[in-house]
Amino acid sequence: MEHQTDELTLSDILHIFKKRQIWFWIIFVLTIFATLIYLVFFATPIYEVSTKIKIPVSSGKVSLPSSLSGAVAFISGGSVSSPGLSDQIEIIKSRKTLEKVINDLNLMDYFKSKIIDEEAKEKLTINSVISRLQQDIITVEPLKDTSFLEIKVSLDDKEMAYKISKALVDAYTQISKELNKDENTYLIEFIEKQLPKTEKELLEIEEKLKQFKKTKSILPSKEAELLINSLSGFDTQYYSTQIEYTTLKAKLEDLKSKISEFKDLINKLDYIPNSSIISLLRQKLVEYQIEYKSSLEKYSPNSIEIKESEIRIRETEKKIKEEIDNIVKSSFNLDDPILSNIYSQIVETQAAIEISKAKLEALSSLKRELENKIKSLPDIEQEYLALERDYQLKQSAYILLKQKLEEAKLSTAGFTLNVPIIIDEPFIPEEPAKPNKKLVLAIGGVLGIFLGILAVFLAEAGDKKVRDPYDIEHLTSIEPIIVSKNYKNTNLEFSNGIKTLSLNLLKDVSTKIIGITSVGKFEEKSDISLELSKFFALSEKTLLVDLDFENSYISKILKIENKPIIDKENNIYKFNENLDILLTDKISKPSEFLALIDKFKSEFETIKENYSHIIINLPNSEDPEFVILQTFCEKFVLITKKNVSLKENLIKAYNELKNAIIVLSK
């Protein structure tokens, strides 16, 4: 019969846990103790400085675009684009931002001071510091369902953590402002530089004009007035276009500097103005612009001639843009998401530059025509017109600059709203954020429970000895009979275990010879054999045969109680009225054992006829002699002892003895 192989039930698990609970509590307490030691002596306190910033959403006409890498930013005419949180996280943790923080706080020296090993100090580089900041120290996370970012700086030095947090926010804000520059920003910078110069020149030319009028009394002719008014108008348009052209060039140059990490890209952009097709289209556009300006002097703005001229100008501008688009597209790797995102902006900027060039050339041509007409006037009138023209030009330029400056400032009035806003300023924490002692203890407790349970089952799986009735029942599917040591050795007083065992054996009336063996060596087997024999002898003639050659327990009992021998030839003693005990001689050689077996076989057939029950006290089941001696028995009692009998031997013995009754001796 094979031993039990069913899966463990809940009751089995609870039983195992109850039996091995000492292991659970030892492991649990040790785990909690180890956690406490770690928290007190080994855990490094980590201070966390937190800052919350608001990333602005789109508003008004202000534009806050950003490339996927956060390396370039520029406007899209009239469009609005608020930065994504992911883009801003990359900017905050970018190399450019962190290098500024490292330089401002001299973090290289700080981290070197933390290293004891001189060789490791030499190996510390700015790349390794940046990597540590990105991976271990700085954490940037978006707050759910908001446009807020939380920046956390975690370090064992709370003062330095605060400084890094402060420097990081400052560096990010500065870089964000740089990246968020739009066309109006470039225009404001240009005008603020140009305005003082123009104002000074205006005052100088005004003074010259006053001096001329004082010294020379002259009034310009009607023709001269018309010429100077027309020329002043062209000068104003030219100057306005020149400002626009300068702003566009500044924007393009700034874009080039920001994307300089892309190899060969800037050189390719420089080829655009030299394209033969672009040059031809720009020349046509100059002609159409001159034609348009000339037509305005002859026709009304709503006339067919003017409308046709405007259509030709728009079509030419469209062709210039398409040609630039083709050239730039061939220069970009459109599989690159960053380049794909910015190439259209480059096309717009470069096309606007080409159109401005054409407009400047057209205005220059018209101005030259008027200047040639002025040269035909008298010299003194030419001198007056030149001063008047310069005065009007400088005055128009000054007014235009002031107007453009105010317009640009109004356009960027809400621009600062698109700069990240600090909601929660960083501060020096009083208590460390890590380790969270309560959480670590809780985790230690959970780990202790897990390890305790694991220890319980490992102890159960590794235990080779029988510990309780459950082990026997689980291994053999048989419920054992429990026999305690606490019984009295009298004919009338037996333990309940002996009684139960005896009654189970008496159920089978056909069984006469019962073998008693054990799993392991212990005296309880012989004791139970004697007590069982006493019980059977209460009603019928019983013989106890002691074939356990290594155990002299029964012979000692006979000597102690001074029992008489009734058959010297067979060595049979009279224990009581119905109980006789047959003792065998001790053997030391295999040949003696074989001789004894032969003698016992010949005499046993005669002896057993005189008894109703025969109990044979066999050697333990692992004894080699047991294999031969068990052949004399009809039924078996297999005795196990708590904390002595091995599970493996129990299974083997039970499989050999088939339907043996199992007894557990406690």
Side-chain angles (χ1 to χ4, degrees), residues 357-629:
K357 278 185 182 180
K359 192 173 180 180
L360 287 172
E361 289 180 21
L363 289 170
S364 295
S365 177
L366 291 169
K367 283 168 62 179
R368 282 194 297 270
E369 289 181 11
L370 291 175
E371 288 169 350
N372 290 333
K373 290 180 181 180
I374 290 175
K375 288 179 181 179
S376 63
L377 298 174
D379 292 341
I380 190 168
E381 197 169 13
Q382 288 185 42
E383 186 180 355
Y384 172 76
L385 291 178
L387 289 172
E388 184 68 26
R389 177 192 175 189
D390 287 344
Y391 175 73
Q392 289 185 13
L393 177 61
K394 296 300 180 184
Q395 187 179 46
S396 298
Y398 182 77
I399 293 171
L400 180 63
L401 286 172
K402 292 286 287 185
Q403 181 184 352
K404 290 286 185 182
L405 181 60
E406 294 303 318
E407 288 176 358
K409 286 182 176 180
L410 287 173
S411 297
T412 56
F415 187 71
T416 53
L417 297 176
N418 290 322
V419 175
I421 302 169
I422 301 174
I423 304 300
D424 287 343
E425 290 278 356
F427 62 91
I428 299 176
E430 295 180 0
E431 298 292 334
K434 299 175 185 177
N436 185 331
K437 293 184 178 180
K438 291 182 180 179
L439 179 60
V440 173
L441 276 175
I443 294 173
V446 173
L447 180 62
I449 291 173
F450 172 76
L451 293 177
I453 293 173
L454 182 63
V456 164
F457 285 100
L458 287 177
E460 177 68 17
D463 193 354
K464 297 182 179 181
K465 293 184 178 181
V466 174
R467 302 295 180 183
D468 58 15
Y470 166 82
D471 288 340
I472 297 173
E473 187 173 354
H474 182 68
L475 293 170
T476 64
S477 300
I478 299 296
E479 183 178 355
I481 297 172
I482 310 300
V483 176
S484 175
K485 290 181 179 180
N486 298 323
Y487 54 78
K488 297 180 180 180
N489 293 322
T490 65
N491 291 333
L492 299 176
E493 297 180 359
F494 295 93
S495 70
N496 290 331
I498 294 295
K499 290 180 182 179
T500 303
L501 175 59
S502 302
L503 293 174
N504 271 274
L505 291 169
L506 288 172
K507 286 180 182 178
D508 188 359
V509 295
S510 63
T511 301
K512 181 176 182 178
I513 305 172
I514 300 170
I516 311 294
T517 186
S518 64
V519 180
K521 296 179 180 181
F522 42 86
E523 286 189 349
E524 283 82 352
K525 172 179 67 67
S526 300
D527 196 6
I528 291 174
S529 299
L530 179 59
E531 296 301 323
L532 186 63
S533 301
K534 291 179 182 180
F535 185 87
F536 277 85
L538 292 175
S539 58
E540 294 182 278
K541 192 73 171 177
T542 303
L543 174 65
L544 172 59
V545 181
D546 185 12
L547 294 180
D548 190 351
F549 305 113
E550 295 183 3
N551 193 330
S552 58
Y553 176 80
I554 295 177
S555 62
K556 289 178 181 178
I557 294 295
L558 292 175
K559 289 180 181 179
I560 292 172
E561 297 190 11
N562 197 21
K563 299 298 182 181
I565 187 168
I566 58 174
D567 186 346
K568 290 185 178 181
E569 182 180 355
N570 294 315
N571 205 23
I572 298 175
Y573 290 81
K574 189 70 172 180
F575 191 83
N576 59 35
E577 183 180 354
N578 287 329
L579 177 59
D580 295 337
I581 298 177
L582 189 155
L583 297 180
T584 56
D585 297 327
K586 303 304 175 186
I587 58 175
S588 58
K589 298 179 181 179
S591 58
E592 293 178 356
F593 172 73
L594 295 175
L596 179 64
I597 293 301
D598 290 340
K599 178 183 177 183
F600 182 75
K601 280 184 180 180
S602 61
E603 296 175 351
F604 185 66
E605 292 298 325
T606 305
I607 294 172
K608 71 179 183 179
E609 297 297 332
N610 300 322
Y611 299 94
S612 299
H613 302 285
I614 299 176
I615 307 299
I616 300 179
N617 183 29
L618 297 169
N620 66 81
S621 59
E622 300 90 54
D623 197 313
E625 299 162 353
F626 172 77
V627 178
I628 297 176
L629 296 176

Side-chain angles (χ1 to χ4, degrees), residues 250-268:
K251 176 182 174 182
L252 186 61
E253 290 304 317
D254 186 76
L255 174 62
K256 288 179 180 181
S257 67
K258 288 180 179 177
I259 59 173
S260 60
E261 65 267 24
F262 301 112
K263 294 181 179 179
D264 301 327
L265 180 59
I266 295 174
N267 292 333
K268 290 179 182 177

Side-chain angles (χ1 to χ4, degrees), residues 135-297:
Q135 297 176 13
D136 303 328
I137 297 176
I138 297 173
T139 305
V140 186
E141 296 177 345
L143 299 181
K144 188 176 181 182
D145 299 329
T146 68
S147 59
F148 289 72
L149 288 177
E150 184 175 24
I151 303 173
K152 294 180 180 178
V153 177
S154 302
L155 203 64
D156 56 355
D157 184 344
K158 60 183 178 181
E159 297 283 347
M160 182 54 69
Y162 168 76
K163 290 179 182 178
I164 292 175
S165 180
K166 193 78 174 172
L168 181 64
V169 172
D170 292 343
Y172 165 61
T173 304
Q174 181 179 340
I175 291 171
S176 181
K177 286 179 180 178
E178 293 175 1
L179 296 178
N180 287 334
K181 281 187 178 180
D182 68 348
E183 188 173 348
N184 288 322
T185 306
Y186 299 119
L187 183 60
I188 290 171
E189 291 176 356
F190 171 76
I191 292 175
E192 287 178 342
K193 291 179 181 178
Q194 193 68 26
L195 196 59
K197 297 178 182 179
T198 305
E199 185 177 10
K200 181 180 179 182
E201 291 172 356
L202 176 61
L203 292 174
E204 290 175 354
I205 197 66
E206 185 179 14
E207 184 63 28
K208 287 182 180 180
L209 186 59
K210 286 180 181 179
Q211 292 297 327
F212 183 85
K213 287 180 178 180
K214 283 182 181 180
T215 56
K216 299 176 182 179
S217 297
I218 183 172
L219 292 174
S221 64
K222 189 173 183 180
E223 180 187 3
E225 287 183 354
L226 291 173
L227 287 172
I228 195 64
N229 288 336
S230 297
L231 189 57
S232 295
F234 288 143
D235 283 338
T236 302
Q237 292 180 48
Y238 184 87
Y239 194 75
S240 177
T241 305
Q242 195 174 41
I243 292 174
E244 180 184 356
Y245 175 78
T246 304
T247 304
L248 290 170
K249 288 290 288 182
K251 176 182 174 182
L252 186 61
E253 290 304 317
D254 186 76
L255 174 62
K256 288 179 180 181
S257 67
K258 288 180 179 177
I259 59 173
S260 60
E261 65 267 24
F262 301 112
K263 294 181 179 179
D264 301 327
L265 180 59
I266 295 174
N267 292 333
K268 290 179 182 177
L269 290 176
D270 289 339
Y271 296 153
I272 293 172
N274 299 325
S275 167
S276 58
I277 298 175
I278 295 293
S279 299
L280 181 61
L281 289 172
R282 188 170 62 241
Q283 186 60 41
K284 284 187 177 181
L285 185 59
V286 170
E287 294 173 3
Y288 293 150
Q289 290 279 7
I290 294 172
E291 181 184 339
Y292 175 74
K293 299 292 183 183
S294 301
S295 299
L296 285 174
E297 297 179 0

Side-chain angles (χ1 to χ4, degrees), residues 10-22:
L10 179 60
S11 60
D12 293 334
I13 293 172
L14 293 175
H15 178 86
I16 292 171
F17 192 86
K18 182 178 179 181
K19 182 172 65 172
R20 308 284 181 180
Q21 61 178 306
I22 185 64

